[in-house]
Amino acid sequence: MGTGKFSGVLLATDFDDTYFPESGVLPRANLEAVEYFKAQGGLFTISTGRAHRTFSPFLSMAPVNVPVILSNGAQLYDFEKDEMVLETTLPTTIAADLAALVERHPTVSLEAYHGEEVYIWNPNRWTRHHLKKARTDAVECPILEMPQPWGKAILHQDRELLLPAQADILRLWPERYEAIFSNAHMLELTAKGSTKGGMVLELARRLGVEREHIYCAGDNQNDIPMLAVSAVPFAPANCAQEVKDWGAKLLPVCEEGAIAALIGELDRLYS
C-alpha cells in the first residue's frame, strides 16, 4: 500500500447516478477528489452493475487503482493487467427458468451477458434505453438459444410489472439467484451469493484492508449489500427512497459531485 492519510482505506462507489450522472457530464470535482484520495494512499474502485463490455468505454472517467467490481458482484476485473481476477456465473438452469418466468410475465424483456456478448429477447423501450446508455449493441435471440454461461441477466419493464416477477424468482428459486433492482426499470439477476457487498469484502481481503476502513456509496437497491459492509454507508441525495429508508448518510446529488463530497468527509475523518 501507499503512504498518506488514506493508506489502507478502500473507497468503492457505484458508477451510474452515484459517480457518473445521467447527463453524461462527469463533475470535475469527482476526478480531482479521486486523484487527491489516491495521492494520499487511498484505494479507489468502481462497483457497478455494468459488465466488462459496457464499463470499459468509461474507464478513463473513473481512474481506479485497484480491480473493479462488475456485474453486481459477479466479477472482479483488473483493468491494469487486463485480466479477470474472479468470476461467478448463473446456474445452467437460468435459461429454462427465465423462459418459464416470461410466460407468466410476457411484457418483460430479457438481457443476458455471455462473456463479451450481449443477448436480448422481447426488447422494450427500457431495453433500448439501457443499450443506448451502455453504448453497446446486442443480438436478439430466443432465450433457450442464448449461449451459456451467463455472468448476469437483466429483466426490463416498469417497476410495478417487475415486482411480481421478482417475487416469483425469489419464491421459486431462492437458492439459485439474487434478484435485485438497479433502477426502477431494471431487475438484475446474479448467482446466489454474488452481490456487490460480497465482492467488496473479497477485494478488501485481497488488498489487506481492514473492515473499518471500507467505505462505499450507491444509489439503489443493488447497492445496499455493499452499503451494509461500509464503515459509513453513503448515498447521493438522488438515491432511491429504499436507500434513504435503509439509513445511508446522504451526500449532494450525483450531478453536484457526490463522490467529491464523500472524499471531503473522509478527509475530515482521517485528518
Side-chain angles (χ1 to χ4, degrees), residues 135-214:
R135 301 181 190 175
T136 192
D137 55 8
V139 177
E140 193 164 350
C141 179
I143 296 173
L144 294 176
E145 295 178 18
M146 294 178 181
Q148 292 202 39
W150 301 356
K152 73 164 187 172
I154 309 173
L155 299 179
H156 297 274
Q157 194 36 285
D158 293 330
R159 184 179 178 90
E160 61 267 24
L161 297 173
L162 287 175
L163 283 169
Q166 181 190 41
D168 279 350
I169 292 166
L170 298 178
R171 175 178 58 85
L172 294 168
W173 310 294
E175 76 289 353
R176 296 181 186 174
Y177 310 119
E178 302 286 343
I180 196 163
F181 283 89
S182 58
N183 64 40
H185 313 290
M186 293 169 56
L187 179 65
E188 309 222 10
L189 280 73
T190 53
K192 187 68 176 181
S194 294
T195 67
K196 289 186 178 186
M199 198 61 91
V200 165
L201 290 178
E202 175 61 21
L203 176 60
R205 184 189 68 80
R206 290 169 179 260
L207 296 173
V209 173
E210 298 295 330
R211 178 76 174 262
E212 60 265 30
H213 299 302
I214 298 172

Side-chain angles (χ1 to χ4, degrees), residues 60-184:
S60 63
M61 300 182 188
V64 301
N65 59 353
V66 295
V68 170
I69 296 163
L70 301 170
S71 296
N72 283 316
Q75 297 176 329
L76 183 63
Y77 196 87
D78 190 329
F79 279 92
E80 182 179 2
K81 296 180 179 178
D82 195 22
E83 66 180 25
M84 190 71 71
V85 177
L86 185 63
E87 181 176 21
T88 63
T89 56
L90 285 157
T92 56
T93 54
I94 183 65
D97 289 344
L98 289 188
L101 182 80
V102 298
E103 289 187 10
R104 296 170 57 91
H105 306 279
T107 67
V108 167
S109 167
L110 170 66
E111 183 177 330
Y113 287 76
H114 169 68
E116 291 295 293
E117 298 302 318
V118 182
Y119 294 86
I120 57 174
W121 174 86
N122 194 32
N124 56 33
R125 61 178 176 142
W126 298 118
T127 317
R128 290 185 284 271
H129 174 78
H130 181 243
L131 293 175
K132 181 179 180 180
K133 182 177 180 179
R135 301 181 190 175
T136 192
D137 55 8
V139 177
E140 193 164 350
C141 179
I143 296 173
L144 294 176
E145 295 178 18
M146 294 178 181
Q148 292 202 39
W150 301 356
K152 73 164 187 172
I154 309 173
L155 299 179
H156 297 274
Q157 194 36 285
D158 293 330
R159 184 179 178 90
E160 61 267 24
L161 297 173
L162 287 175
L163 283 169
Q166 181 190 41
D168 279 350
I169 292 166
L170 298 178
R171 175 178 58 85
L172 294 168
W173 310 294
E175 76 289 353
R176 296 181 186 174
Y177 310 119
E178 302 286 343
I180 196 163
F181 283 89
S182 58
N183 64 40

Side-chain angles (χ1 to χ4, degrees), residues 10-11 15 25 59 97 100 131 133 137-138 141 196 213 216 238 251 264:
L10 173 63
L11 171 55
F15 188 68
V25 180
L59 184 62
D97 289 344
L131 293 175
K133 182 177 180 179
D137 55 8
C141 179
K196 289 186 178 186
H213 299 302
C216 303
N238 56 277
L251 301 164

